[in-house]
Amino acid sequence: MSADGIKFIDPSELYRPEPEAEKRKKEFRNYQEEKDSTNAHIDRVKHTYKMMHTNQTYDFVMAQHEKWGELNKMEMNVMEALEYLNNLVDESDPDVDVPNIYHAYQTAERIRERHPDKDWFHLTGLVHDLGKVLALWGEPQWCVVGDTFVVGCEYANSIVYRNTSFIDNPDLKNPKYR
């Protein structure tokens, strides 16, 4: 549940590929702020967010729009793009080490189960992470995975690792973004 009292649906809870899914539900989406972790998986997640929150500045995002905005790098249909995601394991996810396509289907199916009359919502769930294919074309994962946040303004307190990972972001020192 969010701070606003909005209940979030986590589609992966019912469709976890791991055999110990029930046990892991209690630890799901645990973005720990501990400095001394002994868990390499959590350390990878924290490093990804640190890189993301340090390097995703307003100027960086504008340059990415310029670089990718013409949509001229490759042509594929949605199913081809989803299959292409089989080559990606999301470094920002503290819970799974499986290709991202699983998450796309899990999300779409859970939405379909809860909202059977909203075809547009099923499709949205299926394609919501397609931008991650950019990691397979050379972009570092920190710039295409993880939770999104608005640039060019003050960062919200609800952002994962907000208190520790933005310290080196140059936009924090820019008075026009406060």
Side-chain angles (χ1 to χ4, degrees):
M1 184 156 317
S2 75
D4 301 328
I6 299 169
K7 186 174 182 178
F8 291 104
I9 299 170
D10 183 353
S12 61
E13 287 182 12
L14 293 180
Y15 302 103
R16 304 297 294 176
E18 299 88 358
E20 298 179 354
E22 198 59 39
K23 182 175 123 183
R24 291 183 51 154
K25 276 186 190 180
K26 295 176 184 164
E27 300 171 5
F28 192 73
R29 293 287 188 252
N30 184 5
Y31 294 96
Q32 302 169 13
E33 285 279 0
E34 298 170 10
K35 289 184 181 181
D36 299 323
S37 172
T38 57
N39 182 327
H41 191 86
I42 294 297
D43 290 344
R44 182 189 74 200
V45 171
K46 288 169 69 172
H47 176 74
T48 299
Y49 275 95
K50 173 67 175 161
M51 294 298 295
M52 177 192 316
H53 294 165
T54 298
N55 296 300
Q56 281 195 9
T57 63
Y58 179 83
D59 290 338
F60 173 80
V61 171
M62 293 299 100
Q64 291 296 89
H65 280 258
E66 187 73 27
K67 179 178 180 179
W68 297 100
E70 293 183 23
L71 306 174
N72 61 358
K73 308 299 182 208
M74 183 176 204
E75 187 173 312
M76 63 176 72
N77 64 40
V78 171
M79 288 309 298
E80 290 168 335
L82 286 169
E83 289 170 6
Y84 196 50
L85 285 177
N86 275 325
N87 299 304
L88 177 71
V89 175
D90 185 341
E91 294 175 355
S92 71
D93 192 329
D95 302 304
V96 291
D97 259 336
V98 296
N100 203 55
I101 192 170
Y102 287 113
H103 173 64
Y105 284 115
Q106 290 167 351
T107 303
E109 283 299 306
R110 185 65 181 267
I111 291 170
R112 184 184 57 79
E113 180 183 280
R114 299 258 174 124
H115 304 280
D117 59 327
K118 296 181 180 158
D119 292 347
W120 64 269
F121 199 13
H122 312 160
L123 180 60
T124 301
L126 186 67
V127 303
H128 78 279
D129 279 338
L130 284 184
K132 292 179 181 182
V133 298
L134 299 180
L136 300 171
W137 294 327
E139 288 297 335
Q141 281 207 25
W142 60 259
C143 74
V144 296
V145 302
D147 301 322
T148 59
F149 57 94
V150 179
V151 295
C153 63
E154 188 172 343
Y155 301 117
N157 290 328
S158 60
I159 296 174
V160 173
Y161 298 128
R162 195 280 184 229
N163 295 329
T164 58
S165 61
F166 281 96
I167 295 167
D168 297 322
N169 186 304
D171 285 355
L172 281 179
K173 298 170 184 77
N174 189 330
K176 72 180 179 182
Y177 299 145
R178 289 186 205 158

